[in-house]
Amino acid sequence: MDPMTITAAAIAALQLALKLRAIAQQSGEWTPEQEAKFRADTEAAFKAPHWQKD
Amino acid sequence: MKDIQFNLAVAGLLIGILNALGAAMKAVPWIANHYIPFLLGFAGGIAYPAIEGWTALNAAIGVACAWGSTGLHQWIQQGASVVRKDPNRASLVIWCLVPWFVFAAGCKTPTGDPVAVRAEQTIQTSFTTVDTFLAFEHGQKNLPGSVQEAADTLRTKYPPAHRAALDALAAYKRNRDAYSTDTLNRWLATLLELAAVAAQARTELN
């Protein structure tokens, strides 16, 4: 694989690690508003181009 | 399972001090390198309970801090060596950190219902893992066919499983009984399996 792809993979891995770290900091249950927002955000994400099959 | 509570500030400070102590031990000619982790473990097992109280759990936390410190040292040393030999392996070195971040999720004591909090974390973690992988895959050309195949499988299977897990979580919060816990756990297992597909495909890129 070319160096650009490797670099992009490394950056994506680091971004993922930071996001997982933020999730790990959660210690309380979602409020109904937080749950509704998470549902809405993920449903919006599912409509994004990277979730569509080519 | 009972959550382990520990003082993060003291643990962090101890890891830093033990790292320095390990480096100092390396400079002493009559201390063989392979004894250093044991000596540091002993030092950690004494130092942490000396600050936080003399219990077996605090001694174990101290030993874990010491070995965490040696692990961090090895990650830096070996990671630098791997990247020096082959810069293309940099992502592999960074991926080695991911289990640590995931492990950290188990160290934060939930203030609410642990089943619900862990379920919410699992749903978020698996979504983030899959979403990050798909965003990466979408932006790249010339990836191996197996990676593209894994991505397409996730595009089809993940959204319905995600919705079902959220519905199972809502049902659990209404009832909080054995049946709803079991249903929730089954959907969480499905999400973890799908996240593992993304993680497996990522390792093929290294």
Side-chain angles (χ1 to χ4, degrees), chain B residues 10 14 41-65:
Chain B
V10 172
L14 198 58
F42 185 72
I46 299 284
Y48 187 89
I51 299 166
E52 288 294 304
W54 294 98
T55 65
L57 181 61
N58 282 344
I61 290 170
V63 174
C65 285

Side-chain angles (χ1 to χ4, degrees), chain B:
Chain B
M1 196 174 77
K2 193 170 179 285
D3 283 291
I4 296 170
Q5 296 188 40
F6 69 99
N7 188 328
L8 188 61
V10 172
L13 186 68
L14 198 58
I15 287 172
I17 291 170
L18 291 171
N19 227 324
L21 184 62
M25 283 179 180
K26 271 198 155 185
V28 180
W30 50 269
I31 299 179
N33 272 358
H34 55 268
Y35 288 134
I36 293 176
F38 295 102
L39 294 170
L40 287 180
F42 185 72
I46 299 284
Y48 187 89
I51 299 166
E52 288 294 304
W54 294 98
T55 65
L57 181 61
N58 282 344
I61 290 170
V63 174
C65 285
W67 289 345
S69 158
T70 57
L72 185 66
H73 175 78
Q74 289 302 322
W75 178 75
I76 293 168
Q77 288 268 323
Q78 304 302 327
S81 163
V82 166
V83 172
R84 259 200 309 274
K85 282 181 194 155
D86 180 2
N88 286 347
R89 308 295 280 184
S91 64
L92 179 65
V93 174
I94 293 170
W95 266 105
C96 291
L97 274 185
V98 171
W100 185 86
F101 282 103
V102 175
F103 169 75
C107 296
K108 189 85 178 179
T109 306
T111 52
D113 176 351
V115 174
V117 174
R118 296 294 182 230
E120 288 164 357
Q121 286 177 328
T122 304
I123 293 169
Q124 286 176 287
T125 302
S126 56
F127 171 78
T128 304
T129 303
V130 175
D131 186 57
T132 307
F133 166 67
L134 292 182
F136 166 76
E137 190 270 349
H138 182 72
Q140 300 299 318
K141 292 180 176 66
N142 306 322
L143 290 176
S146 59
V147 174
Q148 292 174 2
E149 202 176 299
D152 281 342
T153 301
L154 291 169
R155 287 184 178 108
T156 308
K157 289 188 176 175
Y158 192 85
H162 175 84
R163 292 181 191 114
L166 283 173
D167 289 345
L169 175 62
Y172 168 79
K173 285 182 176 177
R174 279 194 303 275
N175 303 310
R176 299 188 196 257
D177 58 9
Y179 178 76
S180 57
T181 307
D182 193 42
T183 308
L184 176 61
N185 283 338
R186 275 207 303 274
W187 280 113
L188 294 179
T190 304
L191 292 187
L192 289 174
E193 280 171 25
L194 292 169
V197 171
Q200 174 64 34
R202 290 295 299 269
T203 57
E204 289 176 32
L205 299 173
N206 292 309

